[in-house]
């Protein structure tokens, strides 16, 4: 954005005057809304995707019961939504997630948000990629011949992770845990998320509470309204939090004009590139703080250096 303000107040709110579109559902966006507003931006919501329970609950239950019985050596969690599904399955059986999972199973998580949610539920995470938090990143650190692996994932998940695990010598069982659909999902099958819940992995600098005491306010746009604001140059950035979201951005909102596209990770950026969409910035971490930094980068706001990082290796 041009004519940036270099005043002390702008240092406190570096995204002042920026208007940022989020394409998640409201209850899944609150931590990002809060982080953007803390940085001075106006956050607007246009939910494009939603989630429903898998149609084949029997296969999912069979896999979950086998997991609880110790049939698997590893459980691979590829998204925060998967954590919600597994927690629900444990609750259906009258148990907490930590009590339901056998001590013999090792858990791998792709992202910090999933890892934080698992650890908050009392589940130890044995493996997470330190660099790229993606399927490719997990495969880079995955041990050879890891034994029996359960991979619950979305119905539209790319086969790369399952194929990579199998290529490493693992015996992989893939099961559909949930469906990704256009917003809004069917009310009876929709995966509801506590609107005040905060993913522990999605931390906001300066906040230590595990919940948002008062949900931040937000504005909902229609697709037509968002297109009109993009055409008028009134939306400065749009955040895509998944490859499925970027596909819907491409079909519903393009051309984006001067509105900068910000991707939550490399797989989302790669999908955007395949669709011919220019990506202005990719979040270094798939968290609200990481996305705020990426929005700043996309809008050419300088990111101030943080404190020195202590090497604990």
């Amino acid at each position: 954005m041009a004519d940036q303000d270099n005043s002390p107040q702008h240092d406190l709110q570096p995204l002042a005057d920026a208007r940022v579109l989020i394409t998640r559902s409201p209850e899944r966006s609150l931590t990002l809304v809060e982080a953007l507003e803390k940085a001075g931006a106006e956050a607007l919501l246009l939910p494009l995707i939603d989630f429903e329970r898998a149609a084949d609950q029997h296969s999912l239950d069979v896999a979950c019961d086998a997991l609880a019985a110790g049939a698997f050596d590893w459980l691979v969690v590829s998204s925060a939504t998967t954590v919600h599904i597994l927690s629900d399955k444990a609750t259906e059986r009258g148990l907490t997630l930590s009590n339901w999972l056998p001590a013999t199973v090792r858990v791998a998580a792709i992202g910090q948000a999933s890892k934080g949610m698992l650890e908050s539920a009392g589940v130890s995470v044995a493996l997470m990629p330190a660099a790229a938090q993606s399927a490719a990143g997990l495969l880079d650190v995955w041990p050879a011949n890891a034994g029996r692996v359960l991979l619950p994932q979305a119905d539209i998940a790319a086969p790369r992770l399952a194929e990579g695990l199998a290529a490493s010598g693992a015996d992989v069982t893939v099961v559909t845990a949930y469906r990704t659909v256009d917003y809004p999902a069917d009310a009876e099958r929709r995966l509801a998320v506590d609107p005040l819940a905060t993913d522990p992995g999605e931390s906001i600098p300066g906040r230590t509470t595990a919940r948002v005491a008062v949900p931040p306010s937000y504005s909902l746009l229609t697709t037509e309204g968002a297109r009109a604001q993009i055409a008028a140059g009134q939306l400065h950035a749009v955040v895509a939090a998944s490859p499925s979201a970027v596909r819907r951005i491409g079909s519903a909102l393009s051309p984006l004009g001067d509105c900068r596209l910000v991707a939550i990770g490399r797989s989302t950026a790669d999908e955007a590139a395949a669709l011919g969409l220019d990506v202005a910035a990719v979040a270094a971490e798939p968290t609200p703080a990481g996305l705020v930094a990426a929005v700043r980068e996309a809008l050419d706001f300088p990111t101030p250096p943080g404190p020195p990082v202590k090497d604990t290796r």
Side-chain angles (χ1 to χ4, degrees), residues 79-92:
S79 70
T81 303
T82 300
V83 182
H84 288 298
I85 291 292
L86 294 173
S87 296
D88 286 349
K89 289 301 178 183
T91 300
E92 288 174 6

Side-chain angles (χ1 to χ4, degrees), residues 91-165:
T91 300
E92 288 174 6
R93 291 154 175 77
L95 298 168
T96 64
L97 185 56
S98 60
N99 290 332
W100 179 53
L101 294 177
T104 54
V105 71
R106 303 180 74 187
V107 179
I110 282 184
Q112 185 62 46
S114 300
K115 179 176 183 288
M117 292 177 67
L118 288 164
E119 291 179 341
S120 180
V123 177
S124 297
V125 175
L127 184 66
M128 189 191 83
Q133 295 182 12
S134 63
L138 182 63
L139 291 173
D140 284 342
V141 298
W142 185 257
N145 302 311
R148 298 159 300 176
V149 177
L150 178 62
L151 175 59
Q153 57 184 8
D155 61 324
I156 61 171
R160 178 176 185 178
L161 179 56
E163 291 173 352
L165 294 172

Side-chain angles (χ1 to χ4, degrees), residues 22-34 45-52 80-81 84 117 183-187 189-199 202 212 215-216 218 220 288:
I22 304 170
T23 55
R24 283 172 165 171
S25 62
E27 71 270 27
R28 295 173 186 269
S29 302
L30 296 184
T31 51
L32 180 54
V33 170
E34 187 182 18
L45 270 60
L46 172 62
L48 293 179
I49 64 170
D50 211 349
F51 303 100
E52 292 181 351
T81 303
H84 288 298
M117 292 177 67
Y183 185 89
D186 180 85
R189 294 192 295 269
R190 186 170 190 263
L191 290 177
V193 177
D194 179 357
L196 293 183
T198 301
D199 291 349
E202 296 189 343
V212 182
Y218 55 83
L220 278 171

Side-chain angles (χ1 to χ4, degrees), residues 275-307:
L275 295 170
L277 298 175
D278 292 331
V279 177
V282 181
E285 296 183 346
T287 63
L291 284 167
V292 168
V295 171
R296 294 181 67 179
E297 177 186 346
L299 300 181
D300 298 323
F301 287 111
T303 301

Side-chain angles (χ1 to χ4, degrees), residues 229-257:
Q229 292 200 28
I230 288 171
Q234 296 172 345
L235 285 176
H236 304 116
V238 56
V239 175
S242 67
S244 54
V246 87
R247 286 193 290 272
R248 286 163 173 82
I249 289 171
S251 62
L253 299 179
S254 63
L256 294 178

